[in-house]
Protein backbone atom coordinates (compact mmCIF):
# COMPACT_ATOMS: atom_id res chain seq x y z
CA UNK A 1 0.00 0.00 0.00
CA UNK A 2 1.20 3.47 -0.66
CA UNK A 3 0.03 7.00 -0.16
CA UNK A 4 -0.19 9.10 -3.32
CA UNK A 5 -1.26 12.53 -4.42
CA UNK A 6 -4.51 12.66 -6.43
CA UNK A 7 -3.84 12.45 -10.17
CA UNK A 8 -4.62 15.72 -11.87
CA UNK A 9 -6.23 14.08 -14.93
CA UNK A 10 -9.03 12.16 -13.23
CA UNK A 11 -11.32 10.53 -15.79
CA UNK A 12 -14.08 8.85 -13.80
CA UNK A 13 -15.85 7.06 -16.71
CA UNK A 14 -12.50 5.42 -17.56
CA UNK A 15 -12.18 4.20 -13.97
CA UNK A 16 -15.73 2.84 -13.95
CA UNK A 17 -15.09 1.07 -17.26
CA UNK A 18 -11.84 -0.34 -16.01
CA UNK A 19 -13.46 -1.85 -12.93
CA UNK A 20 -16.49 -2.98 -14.94
CA UNK A 21 -14.07 -4.94 -17.17
CA UNK A 22 -12.46 -6.56 -14.13
CA UNK A 23 -9.17 -4.65 -14.34
CA UNK A 24 -7.08 -3.47 -11.40
CA UNK A 25 -6.80 0.12 -10.16
CA UNK A 26 -3.51 1.74 -9.23
CA UNK A 27 -3.06 3.50 -5.88
CA UNK A 28 -2.98 6.83 -7.76
CA UNK A 29 -6.33 6.14 -9.43
CA UNK A 30 -8.00 5.22 -6.16
CA UNK A 31 -6.53 8.23 -4.40
CA UNK A 32 -7.76 10.52 -7.19
CA UNK A 33 -11.25 9.04 -7.12
CA UNK A 34 -11.63 9.12 -3.32
CA UNK A 35 -10.03 12.56 -3.02
CA UNK A 36 -12.24 13.93 -5.81
CA UNK A 37 -15.39 12.46 -4.26
CA UNK A 38 -14.57 13.78 -0.76
CA UNK A 39 -14.01 17.28 -2.18
CA UNK A 40 -17.34 17.17 -4.05
CA UNK A 41 -15.67 17.07 -7.49
CA UNK A 42 -17.06 13.65 -8.43
CA UNK A 43 -20.86 13.23 -8.37
CA UNK A 44 -22.72 10.47 -6.52
CA UNK A 45 -24.00 8.84 -9.71
CA UNK A 46 -20.48 8.13 -10.99
CA UNK A 47 -19.31 6.77 -7.64
CA UNK A 48 -22.50 4.67 -7.37
CA UNK A 49 -21.72 3.07 -10.74
CA UNK A 50 -18.12 2.44 -9.67
CA UNK A 51 -19.24 0.90 -6.33
CA UNK A 52 -21.52 -1.51 -8.17
CA UNK A 53 -18.66 -2.48 -10.49
CA UNK A 54 -16.51 -3.16 -7.39
CA UNK A 55 -19.27 -5.36 -5.97
CA UNK A 56 -19.37 -7.43 -9.16
CA UNK A 57 -15.65 -7.53 -9.95
CA UNK A 58 -14.09 -7.36 -6.50
CA UNK A 59 -10.68 -5.94 -5.60
CA UNK A 60 -7.25 -7.42 -5.09
CA UNK A 61 -5.79 -7.22 -1.56
CA UNK A 62 -3.45 -4.50 -2.87
CA UNK A 63 -6.38 -2.45 -4.22
CA UNK A 64 -8.37 -2.91 -1.00
CA UNK A 65 -5.36 -1.69 0.99
CA UNK A 66 -4.80 1.30 -1.30
CA UNK A 67 -8.49 2.20 -1.15
CA UNK A 68 -8.37 2.05 2.67
CA UNK A 69 -5.34 4.35 2.84
CA UNK A 70 -7.03 6.88 0.54
CA UNK A 71 -10.14 6.82 2.72
CA UNK A 72 -8.15 7.12 5.96
CA UNK A 73 -6.21 10.07 4.50
CA UNK A 74 -9.39 11.87 3.37
CA UNK A 75 -9.52 13.62 6.79
CA UNK A 76 -7.54 14.04 10.00
CA UNK A 77 -5.27 11.31 11.34
CA UNK A 78 -5.34 11.13 15.15
CA UNK A 79 -1.93 11.07 16.74
CA UNK A 80 -2.04 8.83 19.82
CA UNK A 81 1.70 8.30 19.91
CA UNK A 82 2.04 10.08 23.26
CA UNK A 83 -0.23 7.50 24.96
CA UNK A 84 1.00 4.12 26.23
CA UNK A 85 -0.14 0.83 24.65
CA UNK A 86 -3.06 2.16 22.63
CA UNK A 87 -5.63 -0.39 21.59
CA UNK A 88 -8.84 -0.12 19.59
CA UNK A 89 -11.66 -2.60 19.28
CA UNK A 90 -14.31 -2.92 16.60
CA UNK A 91 -17.36 -5.11 16.26
CA UNK A 92 -18.85 -5.53 12.80
CA UNK A 93 -22.27 -5.08 14.44
CA UNK A 94 -24.74 -7.26 16.27
CA UNK A 95 -27.76 -7.45 18.57
CA UNK A 96 -27.35 -7.21 22.35
CA UNK A 97 -23.65 -6.60 21.69
CA UNK A 98 -22.64 -4.49 24.68
CA UNK A 99 -19.10 -5.92 24.63
CA UNK A 100 -17.36 -2.54 24.29
CA UNK A 101 -18.96 -1.32 27.53
CA UNK A 102 -17.31 -4.19 29.41
CA UNK A 103 -14.14 -4.79 27.43
CA UNK A 104 -12.81 -1.23 27.21
CA UNK A 105 -12.72 -0.65 31.02
CA UNK A 106 -11.20 -4.12 31.41
CA UNK A 107 -8.39 -3.11 29.05
CA UNK A 108 -7.89 0.19 30.86
CA UNK A 109 -7.71 -1.71 34.18
CA UNK A 110 -5.03 -3.92 32.58
CA UNK A 111 -2.84 -0.91 31.79
CA UNK A 112 -3.72 -0.44 28.11
CA UNK A 113 -5.05 2.85 26.75
CA UNK A 114 -8.35 2.93 24.90
CA UNK A 115 -8.94 6.23 23.08
CA UNK A 116 -11.68 5.25 20.73
CA UNK A 117 -14.34 6.54 18.38
CA UNK A 118 -17.58 4.59 18.59
CA UNK A 119 -20.71 4.59 16.48
CA UNK A 120 -24.43 4.92 17.00
CA UNK A 121 -26.81 2.12 16.15
CA UNK A 122 -27.93 1.83 12.56
CA UNK A 123 -30.81 -0.32 11.35
CA UNK A 124 -31.20 -3.40 13.57
CA UNK A 125 -27.72 -3.21 15.16
CA UNK A 126 -27.02 -1.26 18.34
CA UNK A 127 -24.28 1.34 18.89
CA UNK A 128 -22.04 2.01 21.88
CA UNK A 129 -22.70 5.76 21.92
CA UNK A 130 -26.49 5.29 22.09
CA UNK A 131 -26.05 2.86 24.96
CA UNK A 132 -23.81 5.20 26.92
CA UNK A 133 -26.21 8.10 26.35
CA UNK A 134 -28.78 6.26 28.46
CA UNK A 135 -26.62 7.31 31.44
CA UNK A 136 -27.86 10.81 32.38
CA UNK A 137 -25.24 13.49 31.69
CA UNK A 138 -22.84 11.29 29.71
CA UNK A 139 -21.44 13.27 26.80
CA UNK A 140 -20.02 11.80 23.57
CA UNK A 141 -18.24 14.98 22.49
CA UNK A 142 -14.81 15.96 23.80
CA UNK A 143 -12.29 18.43 22.46
CA UNK A 144 -9.08 16.86 21.14
CA UNK A 145 -7.21 18.05 24.25
CA UNK A 146 -9.84 16.68 26.67
CA UNK A 147 -9.97 13.39 24.77
CA UNK A 148 -6.20 12.85 24.99
CA UNK A 149 -6.03 14.08 28.58
CA UNK A 150 -8.80 11.71 29.70
CA UNK A 151 -7.19 8.80 27.85
CA UNK A 152 -3.95 9.56 29.67
CA UNK A 153 -5.56 10.00 33.12
CA UNK A 154 -8.27 7.32 33.08
CA UNK A 155 -6.97 5.01 30.34
CA UNK A 156 -10.35 5.17 28.60
CA UNK A 157 -12.06 7.84 26.47
CA UNK A 158 -14.88 7.12 24.00
CA UNK A 159 -16.27 9.70 21.62
CA UNK A 160 -18.81 9.79 18.78
CA UNK A 161 -17.90 10.08 15.14
CA UNK A 162 -18.18 13.85 14.97
CA UNK A 163 -14.51 14.36 14.12
CA UNK A 164 -13.19 14.76 10.62
CA UNK A 165 -11.91 11.17 10.63
CA UNK A 166 -12.18 9.24 7.35
CA UNK A 167 -14.92 11.53 5.96
CA UNK A 168 -14.77 9.59 2.67
CA UNK A 169 -16.19 6.62 4.55
CA UNK A 170 -19.16 8.65 5.79
CA UNK A 171 -19.95 9.72 2.23
CA UNK A 172 -19.39 6.30 0.69
CA UNK A 173 -21.34 4.51 3.41
CA UNK A 174 -24.39 6.73 2.90
CA UNK A 175 -24.22 6.10 -0.86
CA UNK A 176 -23.73 2.34 -0.43
CA UNK A 177 -26.73 2.25 1.88
CA UNK A 178 -29.03 3.43 -0.93
CA UNK A 179 -27.41 1.63 -3.87
CA UNK A 180 -27.41 -1.97 -2.56
CA UNK A 181 -23.61 -1.96 -2.29
CA UNK A 182 -23.17 -2.42 1.47
CA UNK A 183 -22.60 -6.18 1.40
CA UNK A 184 -19.35 -6.21 -0.53
CA UNK A 185 -16.20 -7.48 1.15
CA UNK A 186 -13.55 -4.98 -0.04
CA UNK A 187 -15.95 -2.11 0.64
CA UNK A 188 -16.77 -3.31 4.19
CA UNK A 189 -13.10 -4.03 4.95
CA UNK A 190 -11.94 -0.61 3.72
CA UNK A 191 -14.82 1.17 5.48
CA UNK A 192 -13.99 -0.35 8.87
CA UNK A 193 -10.22 -0.22 8.57
CA UNK A 194 -10.07 3.36 7.24
CA UNK A 195 -11.68 4.51 10.50
CA UNK A 196 -9.37 2.31 12.58
CA UNK A 197 -6.24 3.61 10.81
CA UNK A 198 -7.38 7.24 11.13
CA UNK A 199 -8.07 6.69 14.85
CA UNK A 200 -4.42 6.00 15.49
CA UNK A 201 -4.25 3.00 17.89
CA UNK A 202 -1.22 0.69 17.57
CA UNK A 203 -3.20 -2.49 18.27
CA UNK A 204 -6.61 -3.34 16.90
CA UNK A 205 -8.94 -6.18 17.93
CA UNK A 206 -11.74 -7.01 15.53
CA UNK A 207 -14.87 -8.91 16.58
CA UNK A 208 -16.27 -10.21 13.30
CA UNK A 209 -19.86 -11.27 13.88
CA UNK A 210 -21.28 -14.18 11.90
CA UNK A 211 -24.91 -15.30 11.69
CA UNK A 212 -28.50 -14.15 11.27
CA UNK A 213 -27.99 -10.84 13.09
CA UNK A 214 -24.71 -9.96 11.32
CA UNK A 215 -23.58 -8.72 7.90
CA UNK A 216 -21.58 -11.91 7.40
CA UNK A 217 -23.94 -14.86 7.33
CA UNK A 218 -21.38 -17.68 7.04
CA UNK A 219 -18.09 -18.49 8.75
CA UNK A 220 -16.35 -18.59 5.34
CA UNK A 221 -17.47 -15.02 4.57
CA UNK A 222 -16.53 -13.88 8.08
CA UNK A 223 -13.06 -15.41 7.72
CA UNK A 224 -12.51 -13.71 4.38
CA UNK A 225 -13.50 -10.35 5.85
CA UNK A 226 -11.32 -10.86 8.93
CA UNK A 227 -8.31 -11.81 6.79
CA UNK A 228 -8.80 -8.81 4.51
CA UNK A 229 -8.95 -6.43 7.48
CA UNK A 230 -6.00 -8.03 9.26
CA UNK A 231 -3.90 -7.72 6.10
CA UNK A 232 -4.77 -4.04 5.69
CA UNK A 233 -3.83 -3.35 9.31
CA UNK A 234 -0.59 -5.30 9.11
CA UNK A 235 0.47 -3.45 5.95
CA UNK A 236 -0.19 -0.20 7.76
CA UNK A 237 2.09 -1.32 10.61
CA UNK A 238 -0.64 -2.07 13.18
CA UNK A 239 -1.00 -5.20 15.31
CA UNK A 240 -4.33 -6.67 14.32
CA UNK A 241 -6.11 -9.70 15.72
CA UNK A 242 -9.58 -10.82 14.75
CA UNK A 243 -12.04 -13.19 16.38
CA UNK A 244 -15.06 -14.60 14.57
CA UNK A 245 -18.01 -14.85 16.95
CA UNK A 246 -21.54 -16.17 16.75
CA UNK A 247 -24.39 -13.71 16.14
CA UNK A 248 -27.17 -16.16 15.41
CA UNK A 249 -28.91 -15.29 18.68
CA UNK A 250 -28.47 -12.03 20.65
CA UNK A 251 -25.47 -11.76 22.95
CA UNK A 252 -26.44 -11.94 26.62
CA UNK A 253 -30.06 -11.67 27.68
CA UNK A 254 -30.87 -8.00 27.12
CA UNK A 255 -31.17 -5.89 23.96
CA UNK A 256 -32.00 -2.17 24.12
CA UNK A 257 -29.90 0.73 25.33
CA UNK A 258 -30.55 1.16 29.11
CA UNK A 259 -31.09 -2.57 29.50
CA UNK A 260 -27.71 -3.26 27.90
CA UNK A 261 -25.95 -0.81 30.20
CA UNK A 262 -27.52 -2.67 33.15
CA UNK A 263 -26.28 -5.99 31.80
CA UNK A 264 -22.81 -4.55 31.11
CA UNK A 265 -22.57 -3.31 34.72
CA UNK A 266 -23.64 -6.73 36.02
CA UNK A 267 -20.87 -8.24 33.88
CA UNK A 268 -18.34 -5.74 35.24
CA UNK A 269 -19.38 -6.97 38.71
CA UNK A 270 -18.63 -10.56 37.62
CA UNK A 271 -22.35 -11.40 37.46
CA UNK A 272 -22.98 -11.20 33.71
CA UNK A 273 -24.42 -13.81 31.37
CA UNK A 274 -21.99 -16.57 30.49
CA UNK A 275 -21.67 -15.79 26.75
CA UNK A 276 -20.99 -12.07 27.24
CA UNK A 277 -18.54 -12.72 30.09
CA UNK A 278 -16.66 -15.28 27.99
CA UNK A 279 -16.51 -13.10 24.90
CA UNK A 280 -15.09 -10.18 26.89
CA UNK A 281 -12.39 -12.44 28.32
CA UNK A 282 -11.51 -13.78 24.84
CA UNK A 283 -11.26 -10.30 23.35
CA UNK A 284 -9.24 -9.01 26.30
CA UNK A 285 -6.76 -11.86 25.79
CA UNK A 286 -6.50 -10.95 22.10
CA UNK A 287 -5.96 -7.28 22.94
CA UNK A 288 -3.26 -8.08 25.51
CA UNK A 289 -1.57 -10.40 23.02
CA UNK A 290 -1.72 -7.79 20.25
CA UNK A 291 -0.16 -5.24 22.60
CA UNK A 292 2.63 -7.68 23.55
CA UNK A 293 1.41 -8.67 27.04
CA UNK A 294 0.29 -12.26 26.51
CA UNK A 295 1.75 -13.65 29.79
CA UNK A 296 -0.99 -14.90 32.06
CA UNK A 297 -3.42 -12.84 29.98
CA UNK A 298 -6.55 -14.92 30.63
CA UNK A 299 -6.20 -14.93 34.42
CA UNK A 300 -5.41 -11.22 34.47
CA UNK A 301 -8.42 -10.42 32.26
CA UNK A 302 -10.67 -12.58 34.43
CA UNK A 303 -9.51 -10.89 37.63
CA UNK A 304 -10.62 -7.43 36.42
CA UNK A 305 -14.22 -8.66 36.49
CA UNK A 306 -13.94 -9.97 40.04
CA UNK A 307 -11.69 -7.53 41.87
CA UNK A 308 -13.73 -4.42 40.98
CA UNK A 309 -10.94 -2.85 38.88
CA UNK A 310 -12.85 -2.85 35.55
CA UNK A 311 -15.99 -1.52 37.25
CA UNK A 312 -13.95 1.26 38.91
CA UNK A 313 -12.51 2.22 35.49
CA UNK A 314 -15.99 2.30 33.96
CA UNK A 315 -17.25 4.51 36.80
CA UNK A 316 -14.28 6.89 36.42
CA UNK A 317 -14.74 7.01 32.64
CA UNK A 318 -18.48 7.76 32.90
CA UNK A 319 -17.86 10.50 35.47
CA UNK A 320 -15.02 12.02 33.39
CA UNK A 321 -17.43 12.42 30.47
CA UNK A 322 -20.12 14.09 32.60
CA UNK A 323 -22.19 11.02 33.47
CA UNK A 324 -23.73 10.65 36.92
CA UNK A 325 -21.89 7.78 38.67
CA UNK A 326 -24.95 7.16 40.90
CA UNK A 327 -26.36 5.25 37.90
CA UNK A 328 -23.31 3.00 37.84
CA UNK A 329 -23.58 2.34 41.57
CA UNK A 330 -27.28 1.58 41.20
CA UNK A 331 -28.11 0.71 37.55
CA UNK A 332 -31.73 0.10 38.60
CA UNK A 333 -32.07 3.91 38.49
CA UNK A 334 -31.63 3.94 34.70
CA UNK A 335 -34.79 4.73 32.77
CA UNK A 336 -36.42 1.50 31.61
CA UNK A 337 -39.77 1.73 29.81
CA UNK A 338 -42.60 0.69 32.18
CA UNK A 339 -44.74 -1.36 29.73
CA UNK A 340 -44.32 -5.15 29.77
CA UNK A 341 -45.52 -7.84 27.36
CA UNK A 342 -44.35 -11.41 26.89
CA UNK A 343 -43.99 -13.95 24.11
CA UNK A 344 -45.09 -17.39 25.33
CA UNK A 345 -43.96 -20.84 24.17
CA UNK A 346 -46.62 -22.36 21.91
CA UNK A 347 -45.40 -25.89 22.65
CA UNK A 348 -43.02 -27.59 25.03
CA UNK A 349 -39.55 -28.84 24.05
CA UNK A 350 -36.21 -27.09 23.70
CA UNK A 351 -35.61 -23.55 22.54
CA UNK A 352 -33.74 -24.08 19.28
CA UNK A 353 -33.40 -20.51 18.10
CA UNK A 354 -33.99 -16.85 18.93
CA UNK A 355 -33.24 -15.00 15.73
CA UNK A 356 -30.96 -12.03 16.46
CA UNK A 357 -32.25 -10.11 13.44
CA UNK A 358 -35.87 -10.38 14.67
CA UNK A 359 -34.86 -9.19 18.16
CA UNK A 360 -32.87 -6.29 16.67
CA UNK A 361 -35.81 -5.29 14.49
CA UNK A 362 -38.19 -5.56 17.43
CA UNK A 363 -36.05 -3.10 19.44
CA UNK A 364 -36.05 -0.81 16.40
CA UNK A 365 -39.86 -0.75 16.00
CA UNK A 366 -40.28 -0.19 19.75
CA UNK A 367 -38.32 3.04 19.21
CA UNK A 368 -34.93 1.90 20.54
CA UNK A 369 -33.09 2.37 17.23
CA UNK A 370 -33.28 4.62 14.23
CA UNK A 371 -34.22 3.98 10.63
CA UNK A 372 -32.81 7.32 9.55
CA UNK A 373 -29.65 9.03 10.69
CA UNK A 374 -30.23 11.61 13.42
CA UNK A 375 -33.62 10.30 14.63
CA UNK A 376 -34.28 10.56 18.38
CA UNK A 377 -34.49 7.20 20.12
CA UNK A 378 -36.10 5.82 23.27
CA UNK A 379 -33.28 4.47 25.42
CA UNK A 380 -35.66 2.65 27.78
CA UNK A 381 -37.30 0.12 25.45
CA UNK A 382 -35.96 -3.33 24.64
CA UNK A 383 -36.27 -7.08 24.77
CA UNK A 384 -35.19 -9.60 27.40
CA UNK A 385 -34.47 -13.23 26.61
CA UNK A 386 -36.01 -15.09 29.54
CA UNK A 387 -34.77 -18.35 28.04
CA UNK A 388 -31.58 -18.91 26.00
CA UNK A 389 -31.25 -21.33 23.08
CA UNK A 390 -30.96 -25.03 24.05
CA UNK A 391 -32.83 -24.58 27.38
CA UNK A 392 -35.94 -26.71 27.97
CA UNK A 393 -39.35 -24.97 27.88
CA UNK A 394 -42.93 -25.93 28.64
CA UNK A 395 -46.00 -24.79 26.70
CA UNK A 396 -47.19 -21.38 27.86
CA UNK A 397 -43.84 -20.45 29.45
CA UNK A 398 -42.74 -16.84 28.85
CA UNK A 399 -39.75 -16.82 26.45
CA UNK A 400 -39.18 -13.14 25.76
CA UNK A 401 -40.17 -10.00 27.63
CA UNK A 402 -40.79 -6.74 25.80
CA UNK A 403 -40.17 -3.41 27.52
CA UNK A 404 -42.36 -0.87 25.72
CA UNK A 405 -43.58 2.67 26.15
CA UNK A 406 -47.33 3.16 25.73
CA UNK A 407 -47.48 0.20 23.34
CA UNK A 408 -45.53 2.06 20.66
CA UNK A 409 -44.60 -0.57 18.02
CA UNK A 410 -45.68 -3.33 20.39
CA UNK A 411 -47.81 -5.45 18.04
CA UNK A 412 -45.18 -5.39 15.30
CA UNK A 413 -42.44 -6.20 17.81
CA UNK A 414 -44.38 -9.18 19.15
CA UNK A 415 -44.98 -10.47 15.59
CA UNK A 416 -41.26 -10.16 14.82
CA UNK A 417 -40.28 -11.93 18.02
CA UNK A 418 -42.79 -14.76 17.54
CA UNK A 419 -41.51 -15.35 14.00
CA UNK A 420 -37.92 -15.50 15.27
CA UNK A 421 -38.44 -18.17 17.91
CA UNK A 422 -37.99 -21.90 17.14
CA UNK A 423 -38.86 -24.75 19.53
CA UNK A 424 -37.86 -28.36 18.76
CA UNK A 425 -38.29 -31.75 20.35
CA UNK A 426 -34.54 -32.07 20.94
CA UNK A 427 -31.91 -29.53 21.97
CA UNK A 428 -30.03 -27.90 19.07
CA UNK A 429 -26.38 -28.74 18.42
CA UNK A 430 -24.36 -26.56 20.75
CA UNK A 431 -23.29 -23.46 18.79
CA UNK A 432 -19.75 -22.37 19.68
CA UNK A 433 -19.41 -18.71 20.59
CA UNK A 434 -15.93 -18.43 19.10
CA UNK A 435 -15.99 -19.53 15.47
CA UNK A 436 -12.40 -18.75 14.53
CA UNK A 437 -9.39 -16.51 15.05
CA UNK A 438 -7.15 -14.60 12.68
CA UNK A 439 -3.96 -13.24 14.16
N1 LIG B 1 -19.42 -1.29 9.50
C1 LIG B 1 -18.75 -0.29 8.87
O1 LIG B 1 -18.19 0.59 9.52
N2 LIG B 1 -18.72 -0.29 7.52
C2 LIG B 1 -19.32 -1.23 6.77
O2 LIG B 1 -19.24 -1.18 5.55
C3 LIG B 1 -20.02 -2.27 7.42
C4 LIG B 1 -20.04 -2.28 8.81
Amino acid sequence: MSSTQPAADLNVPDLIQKKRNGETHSAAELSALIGGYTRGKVPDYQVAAWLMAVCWRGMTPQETGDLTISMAESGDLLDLSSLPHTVDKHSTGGVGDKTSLVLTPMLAALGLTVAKMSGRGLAHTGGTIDKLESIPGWNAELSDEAFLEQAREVGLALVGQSRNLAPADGLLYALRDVTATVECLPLIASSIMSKKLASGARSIVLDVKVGAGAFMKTVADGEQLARAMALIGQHAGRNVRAVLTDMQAPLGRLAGNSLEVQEAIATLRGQGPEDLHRLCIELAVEALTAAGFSDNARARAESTLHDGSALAKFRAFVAAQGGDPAYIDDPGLLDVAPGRAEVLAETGGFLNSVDALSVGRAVLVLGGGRERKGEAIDHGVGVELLVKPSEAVVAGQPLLRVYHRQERGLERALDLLRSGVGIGATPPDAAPLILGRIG
Side-chain angles (χ1 to χ4, degrees), residues 3-340:
S3 161
T4 50
Q5 294 303 312
D9 53 349
L10 173 64
N11 184 327
V12 183
D14 278 357
L15 292 188
I16 299 170
Q17 185 178 13
K18 205 168 171 184
K19 192 38 77 184
R20 189 197 68 196
N21 293 345
E23 293 171 40
T24 304
H25 290 312
S26 67
E29 287 170 340
L30 290 165
S31 176
L33 181 66
I34 298 304
Y37 184 49
T38 310
R39 289 192 301 275
K41 303 285 184 218
V42 180
D44 278 352
Y45 54 82
Q46 286 185 318
V47 177
W50 177 80
L51 288 168
M52 188 56 84
V54 171
C55 286
W56 277 97
R57 292 300 197 163
M59 281 187 151
T60 64
Q62 179 75 41
E63 280 180 296
T64 310
D66 290 334
L67 173 64
T68 309
I69 294 285
S70 297
M71 290 166 68
E73 290 182 349
S74 65
D76 301 336
L77 298 172
L78 272 186
D79 180 5
L80 303 184
S81 59
S82 65
L83 300 172
H85 315 304
T86 50
V87 61
D88 199 347
K89 174 260 175 187
H90 184 88
S91 159
T92 56
V95 178
D97 183 7
K98 67 282 291 173
T99 313
S100 288
L101 301 187
V102 183
L103 178 68
T104 56
M106 286 172 74
L107 299 180
L110 287 162
L112 305 183
T113 307
V114 186
K116 174 173 159 49
M117 258 196 344
S118 284
R120 294 183 184 280
L122 195 61
H124 71 280
T125 63
T128 300
I129 296 296
D130 288 333
K131 292 170 205 192
L132 286 166
E133 282 180 347
S134 34
I135 303 168
W138 188 84
N139 172 23
E141 285 184 25
L142 295 177
S143 68
D144 284 0
E145 298 72 38
F147 177 66
L148 291 175
E149 180 60 20
Q150 183 180 318
R152 189 171 294 110
E153 290 297 313
V154 182
L156 173 57
L158 297 185
V159 289
Q161 291 174 341
S162 56
R163 287 186 159 64
N164 184 35
L165 291 183
D169 177 59
L171 295 170
L172 285 171
Y173 197 90
L175 190 58
R176 288 167 58 207
D177 210 16
V178 293
T179 55
T181 53
V182 169
E183 275 125 341
C184 167
L185 192 139
L187 298 180
I188 296 177
S190 54
S191 164
I192 293 173
M193 290 307 291
S194 61
K195 287 174 285 208
K196 298 292 110 181
L197 298 189
S199 302
R202 299 305 313 156
S203 303
I204 301 167
V205 175
L206 302 167
D207 180 5
V208 178
K209 300 287 185 198
V210 176
F215 282 118
M216 297 290 128
K217 305 294 180 199
T218 67
V219 174
D221 285 350
E223 260 175 18
Q224 245 193 314
L225 177 62
R227 279 186 206 291
M229 293 194 293
L231 202 61
I232 293 168
Q234 281 155 12
H235 282 178
R238 312 294 171 95
N239 311 314
V240 185
R241 300 183 71 88
V243 184
L244 273 68
T245 66
D246 183 60
M247 188 33 71
Q248 200 62 27
L251 188 65
R253 287 184 179 265
L254 292 163
N257 296 292
S258 296
L259 293 170
E260 291 191 42
V261 172
Q262 291 181 336
E263 191 165 57
I265 293 170
T267 308
L268 287 164
R269 293 184 196 282
Q271 296 156 1
E274 194 273 337
D275 56 353
L276 175 63
H277 181 105
R278 193 148 50 92
L279 179 58
C280 292
I281 299 292
E282 295 293 340
L283 293 173
V285 170
E286 295 296 335
L288 284 168
T289 307
F293 300 105
S294 58
D295 279 0
N296 213 13
R298 188 167 299 274
R300 288 197 294 129
E302 191 68 62
S303 70
T304 65
L305 295 181
H306 299 290
D307 64 11
S309 58
L311 181 65
K313 278 290 175 196
F314 187 65
R315 192 179 189 283
F317 147 76
V318 166
Q321 288 189 224
D324 183 347
Y327 291 86
I328 311 307
D329 300 336
D330 182 1
L333 296 174
L334 289 166
D335 174 40
V336 171
R340 301 281 184 277

